[in-house]
Amino acid sequence: MTTPRFDNPLSMKVRRIRPLVHSAILHSAILHSAILHSAILHSALALYALATMSLRLEAQDVTVVEAAVGQAAIGQAAAVKEDAKQGAKPKSDKGSEKVSEKVSEKIPRAFDRNRPEPEEEVEAPKKNAMVNFAMDPDRWTDVIYSQLGGSEATFEQQQRRRVRSTINRIELICTIDEKIREKVQETAELEIQRFKTEVLALATQGPRNPTQEEYSEFYNKVFKLTERFRQQNQPNAARKMPLWQKVLYSNLSDQNKEELEKDNRKRAEYRQQVVRLEVLLRISRRLGLTSKQREKLEPYTLSNTEAWKTLDQAWQTLQQFPEKEKREIFTPEQIQELKKPLEHSDDLQLVIREFGDDL
Amino acid sequence: MIARAFVRFCFCAIVSVGVSVGIPGGLCAQNAVPAIKLQAARIVVAGANAPANERDHVARKWVRGLIQQELNAIQNVCKLNEKQAKELVDLIETEWRTKFASVFRSYSEANQRGGVDFEFRVESAVKTWLREVESINEEQRSAWNYELDSRNELRRRIVIGKMVSDAERKFGLSSKQMKEVEALLHERWKEAWWIMYRNGTTPETKFAWISTALSEAQRTAGADTSGIRQEYYTSGGSIDLPSRPLADRFTVAGVTSDESIPLQPPPAADAPGQRDR
C-alpha cells in the first residue's frame, strides 16, 4: 500500500512557518510603529512569496513512498522542527554526505579525480641521483629478480623445475616414495615463498632516489640475498646445498646415497674430461701436435686433472715437464715454442661458465 | 715561359716546405695530412699485397704460423724427402698470400674475429697443396688424411661432450643416460656443429634427438631452458694461434723456400703505432 506524500523538508518547514507569519503580520500591525510595520511587512511579504512558490513546487514534487519510508519522513520532519529551533543543519544532509562518502570509497583511486592530495609530498630527486625517477619497491623487486635471470614468475618456475628434474634423475637410480616427493616439493615451495618475502622486505628498504653510492651499497645487499640461488649454477664446492636437497638427501637410505654419489662422480668426471680434451685440443693447435703426440699426452691429463682445467695451467705444467719427457713427446720446434709465454689477446675475452650439478 | 715555370716551381717548393716544417697558418692547416693517412699511404707504397692495416697484419702472421705448424706436422707424419719438401715449401711460399686474400680481408674488416676460422682454412689449403705436389705419393697423402681425421674426431668428441653436458643440465640426465645421449649425438654429427662451437656457441641439443634416452617423467617435464647456456669462446686469437713473422721463410725438413720468391714486406718495422704481436 502506497501513500502520496510531500516529503520535501524545505516545503515542510515553510508550511509550518506560514501561519506564524500571518499572526506575526497582525500583531506587528497593532503593536509597532509605522516604520517598523512597513519593514516587517516587507519581510513578511517576502516570506509569504517564498512560501507560495514552495507550495507550487510541492504540488509537482509528489513522490510515491513506502509506508515505512513515510514514517521515517515524519520522524525526519520532527527532526527538522527541532533543527529549525536550534538553527542546525538538517540530518538528511548528513545522510547524503555519508552516501557520497560510500560512493567515493567504491571509486578506484586511479579514476577518482577528487581524491585528496597525499599527505607526504614526493621527494624530489637529488641532484646526484642515478635515475630521474623514483625507485619504488616494485622497481627494486624487478632489479632483485633480474639478478637471477628473469622475473619473479621465472624464478619460481626455475626453482620448481629444478626440483622436479632432480627428483626425476634420482628416480632413475633409486625409488622415491610419494610422501618424500611431496615433502621435498613442499620444502622447496616454502623456500621459494621465504625468498619472495625476503625480496619484498629488502625491496621496501631500497632508497627511492639513490645516488651512485647508495645504489652500490644497496646492490651489495641484493647481491648477498641472491647469492645462494646464483650459486646453484656454480660447481659443488662453491655453493651451499638448498634446504629441499637436504630434506631429500636425509630421507634416502645409505645404499641409495652411495649409488647417487657414484653417479654424481661419473657425471662430474664426464664433464671434466670434456674440459680436459678441450684444453688438449688448444695445446695441440698452438704447438701443432700430431695424433700420436696427443695420444702420448692424454695420460698426463688424467694423472693431474687440476693442471688441465685451463689452457694457462696446462701450458705452465708442460713448461715444467722434465726435459727427458719433453723430448719424448715433442719435437725440437715444439719445445722451442713451449718456452714462449702464452700471449693474451685483447680481441676476444675468454668466457667459460661451468655448471654444477644437483644431487 | 721559362720565367713562369720557374715561378710555379718556387711556389710549389715554398708550399711543400711550409707543410713539412709545420708553419702555422690557414694554408698549412688545410694541407695538413692526418698521421693515419700518411701511414696507410706508406703501406700501399710498400707492395700491392702488403697488409692494409694492423688486423690484416696480425691475420697474416697467424696464417703463416699455422702453415708452418702444419708443415712441421706433415714432416712428422709423412717424412718428406728433400725434393718433396722443396716443391711443397716453394709452392706454399708463392701461393699463400693469394690463397688467403679473402681471409685477411674478412678479418681486417670485422670488429673482432669476424667468424674467420683460420685453422679450418689453413687445413683445407694445405690439403690442396699436398695434392698439387706431384712428388708426394699416395701413402703419404693417406697418412696425412688420417691425421686430419684424427683431429676431427677429437673435435667431435669435444663438441658432443659439451652438448651432452648441456643436455644433462637441461633434462636431468643420469651418467648412464649421458652415454646413451652421446651415442645418439654421434649418429647425428654435423660439421656445422664444430664451426658453431669454434665461433663460441655450443650447439643446442634438441629434445627430439635424445627423447628415446629419456624416462617418461623426463619426457613429460621437458627441457629446462631457463638456465644460463654454456658459452665457450675458444677462438681466443693469439692465445691459441701460433704467430710467425712475415720476414721468416717457410721451412720443412730443413729445406727453406727459394730466395727468388719475394717475401711480403713487413710493415710493422717502419709503420708507427703498430703493435708487434
Side-chain angles (χ1 to χ4, degrees):
Chain A
M1 187 180 155
T2 57
T3 314
R5 288 260 171 208
F6 300 109
D7 62 349
N8 187 330
L10 181 64
S11 63
M12 302 276 283
K13 270 193 229 173
V14 172
R15 199 163 40 186
R16 289 179 179 281
I17 291 165
R18 197 168 52 182
L20 294 173
V21 171
H22 280 290
S23 63
I25 292 166
L26 289 171
H27 281 93
S28 62
I30 298 161
L31 294 172
H32 299 287
S33 66
I35 297 164
L36 191 65
H37 282 188
S38 65
I40 292 167
L41 189 66
H42 279 294
S43 61
L45 281 171
L47 279 170
Y48 186 76
L50 270 172
T52 316
M53 279 171 67
S54 173
L55 280 171
R56 279 178 194 161
L57 284 169
E58 273 177 350
Q60 292 172 2
D61 193 22
V62 175
T63 51
V64 179
V65 291
E66 294 287 335
V69 177
Q71 283 173 3
I74 291 162
Q76 222 176 30
V80 168
K81 192 181 173 184
E82 280 185 16
D83 288 339
K85 283 179 185 173
Q86 291 170 8
K89 213 176 173 181
K91 275 191 178 178
S92 59
D93 288 347
K94 285 180 184 173
S96 66
E97 264 184 19
K98 278 180 188 172
V99 171
S100 67
E101 273 175 19
K102 280 178 187 172
V103 170
S104 68
E105 277 172 14
K106 285 177 186 172
I107 298 170
R109 281 181 66 81
F111 299 109
D112 185 7
R113 289 182 179 179
N114 299 321
R115 62 182 171 184
E117 289 293 317
E119 288 176 5
E120 290 178 13
E121 281 188 11
V122 179
E123 194 185 339
K126 292 170 194 168
K127 281 183 182 176
N128 56 349
M130 268 186 74
V131 287
N132 60 357
F133 51 85
M135 285 293 288
D136 56 20
D138 282 351
R139 285 188 201 275
W140 277 120
T141 308
D142 290 347
V143 169
I144 295 168
Y145 282 111
S146 72
Q147 296 302 302
L148 299 169
S151 62
E152 186 180 336
T154 318
F155 165 76
E156 284 183 50
Q157 198 184 359
Q158 273 179 19
Q159 292 308 310
R160 287 184 191 125
R161 190 178 278 277
R162 202 174 181 83
V163 177
R164 206 161 50 231
S165 167
T166 308
I167 292 174
N168 287 344
R169 178 190 283 148
I170 291 173
E171 280 185 329
L172 293 168
I173 297 155
C174 58
T175 319
I176 300 175
D177 292 342
E178 192 56 36
K179 276 183 185 174
I180 298 172
R181 199 187 173 98
E182 280 174 14
K183 200 174 171 182
V184 169
Q185 278 172 341
E186 277 168 17
T187 315
E189 204 60 41
L190 275 174
E191 221 172 350
I192 292 168
Q193 295 308 323
R194 193 183 69 181
F195 180 72
K196 280 170 72 177
T197 316
E198 284 171 1
V199 168
L200 206 62
L202 186 64
T204 49
Q205 292 169 21
R208 281 180 71 82
N209 300 109
T211 58
Q212 180 71 50
E213 292 76 27
E214 286 170 341
Y215 188 90
S216 305
E217 193 183 331
F218 190 72
Y219 189 82
N220 286 340
K221 289 180 187 171
V222 172
F223 189 83
K224 204 174 173 184
L225 179 69
T226 54
E227 198 171 15
R228 69 170 184 268
F229 288 101
R230 275 183 288 106
Q231 280 180 351
Q232 285 179 350
N233 290 335
Q234 299 299 317
N236 263 346
R239 72 183 170 91
K240 200 178 152 188
M241 193 185 272
L243 189 63
W244 63 268
Q245 283 193 6
K246 285 179 188 167
V247 171
L248 179 57
Y249 206 68
S250 60
N251 281 288
L252 295 173
S253 69
D254 288 343
Q255 193 191 341
N256 287 343
K257 278 180 195 170
E258 203 176 307
E259 283 171 3
L260 277 176
E261 279 298 323
K262 199 177 162 185
D263 192 66
N264 285 346
R265 275 197 299 274
K266 279 184 183 173
R267 287 189 295 120
E269 173 52 31
Y270 185 94
R271 286 196 300 271
Q272 283 166 14
Q273 191 197 5
V274 174
V275 173
R276 284 198 301 269
L277 283 177
E278 194 197 12
V279 172
L280 180 64
L281 180 77
R282 296 177 75 190
I283 292 276
S284 172
R285 186 190 299 150
R286 178 68 193 254
L287 293 176
L289 302 182
T290 62
S291 55
K292 282 182 183 172
Q293 286 175 316
R294 281 197 298 272
E295 278 169 21
K296 283 181 192 172
L297 205 54
E298 209 168 333
Y300 289 98
T301 66
L302 293 170
S303 63
N304 185 6
T305 52
E306 283 299 310
W308 288 83
K309 281 190 170 175
T310 64
L311 180 63
D312 285 290
Q313 285 174 322
W315 191 259
Q316 283 170 16
T317 309
L318 287 176
Q319 283 177 329
Q320 288 160 9
F321 260 30
E323 284 301 317
K324 192 188 166 190
E325 286 183 30
K326 271 187 196 172
R327 279 196 296 273
E328 280 173 8
I329 300 169
F330 304 115
T331 62
E333 294 88 5
Q334 287 164 345
I335 293 170
Q336 282 302 313
E337 183 69 21
L338 199 56
K339 283 177 184 168
K340 295 177 188 173
L342 267 185
E343 293 168 13
H344 287 271
S345 167
D346 54 357
D347 284 348
L348 204 61
Q349 293 208 340
L350 184 70
V351 179
I352 298 179
R353 292 178 187 151
E354 288 182 20
F355 295 98
D357 55 337
D358 298 323
L359 276 176
Chain B
M1 283 291 282
I2 295 166
R4 196 176 289 173
F6 179 73
V7 169
R8 194 178 291 171
F9 170 75
C10 288
F11 177 74
C12 291
I14 289 162
V15 168
S16 62
V17 168
V19 170
S20 61
V21 298
I23 295 169
L27 184 66
C28 293
Q30 279 170 7
N31 288 326
V33 183
I36 296 166
K37 282 188 182 173
L38 283 172
Q39 184 185 324
R42 185 154 47 193
I43 290 167
V44 169
V45 167
N49 273 328
N53 55 32
E54 189 185 340
R55 286 180 67 82
D56 191 348
H57 184 216
V58 169
R60 283 165 198 252
K61 280 165 52 173
W62 281 342
V63 166
R64 278 188 78 83
L66 279 167
I67 293 173
Q68 184 56 55
Q69 220 176 51
E70 290 291 85
L71 287 172
N72 295 341
I74 287 169
Q75 180 56 24
N76 274 343
V77 174
C78 306
K79 309 288 180 205
L80 302 179
N81 60 35
E82 200 174 328
K83 190 192 169 200
Q84 290 169 332
K86 184 70 179 165
E87 276 185 43
L88 182 64
V89 88
D90 284 351
L91 178 68
I92 294 175
E93 196 73 84
T94 314
E95 289 191 355
W96 79 277
R97 267 172 286 179
T98 49
K99 201 96 176 169
F100 291 97
S102 63
V103 174
F104 304 142
R105 196 168 49 246
S106 23
Y107 182 73
S108 61
E109 286 170 2
N111 285 332
Q112 285 193 343
R113 197 165 171 277
V116 181
D117 193 343
F118 289 93
E119 203 182 359
F120 172 75
R121 296 295 296 267
V122 169
E123 266 179 27
S124 309
V126 170
K127 201 175 171 182
T128 312
W129 283 322
L130 272 181
R131 272 203 305 269
E132 286 174 10
V133 176
E134 288 174 1
S135 57
I136 293 175
N137 60 41
E138 273 307 309
E139 196 183 338
Q140 286 170 317
R141 283 198 193 108
S142 58
W144 182 245
N145 286 341
Y146 175 80
E147 178 60 32
L148 293 181
D149 288 345
S150 157
R151 270 187 213 173
N152 286 332
E153 178 53 33
L154 180 61
R155 289 169 187 166
R156 197 177 308 165
R157 275 173 72 192
I158 292 168
V159 177
I160 289 177
K162 291 289 179 197
M163 289 170 78
V164 170
S165 303
D166 199 28
E168 182 227 340
R169 181 187 59 82
K170 277 163 70 179
F171 299 99
L173 305 180
S174 67
S175 60
K176 193 183 163 194
Q177 282 178 324
M178 284 167 88
K179 293 281 174 196
E180 288 170 17
V181 167
E182 190 184 56
L184 286 169
L185 291 177
H186 264 290
E187 285 170 18
R188 287 188 166 269
W189 170 253
K190 291 173 192 167
E191 288 296 329
W193 290 354
W194 167 249
I195 295 163
M196 272 178 80
Y197 182 71
R198 271 292 279 166
N199 286 326
T201 314
T202 305
E204 191 186 346
T205 312
K206 298 267 167 77
F207 174 78
W209 299 345
I210 60 163
S211 61
T212 51
L214 302 178
S215 71
E216 191 57 45
Q218 284 171 327
R219 271 197 287 270
T220 312
D224 179 7
T225 51
S226 55
I228 308 158
R229 285 192 70 190
Q230 291 187 46
E231 291 166 35
Y232 288 87
Y233 296 97
T234 57
S235 47
S238 60
I239 287 182
D240 53 2
L241 292 179
S243 177
R244 188 174 176 83
L246 302 186
D248 290 4
R249 288 188 174 277
F250 290 126
T251 309
V252 63
V255 178
T256 311
S257 66
D258 203 280
E259 292 290 331
S260 62
I261 303 166
L263 282 178
Q264 192 167 335
D270 56 351
Q274 288 205 346
R275 281 187 297 166
D276 188 24
R277 294 202 188 197

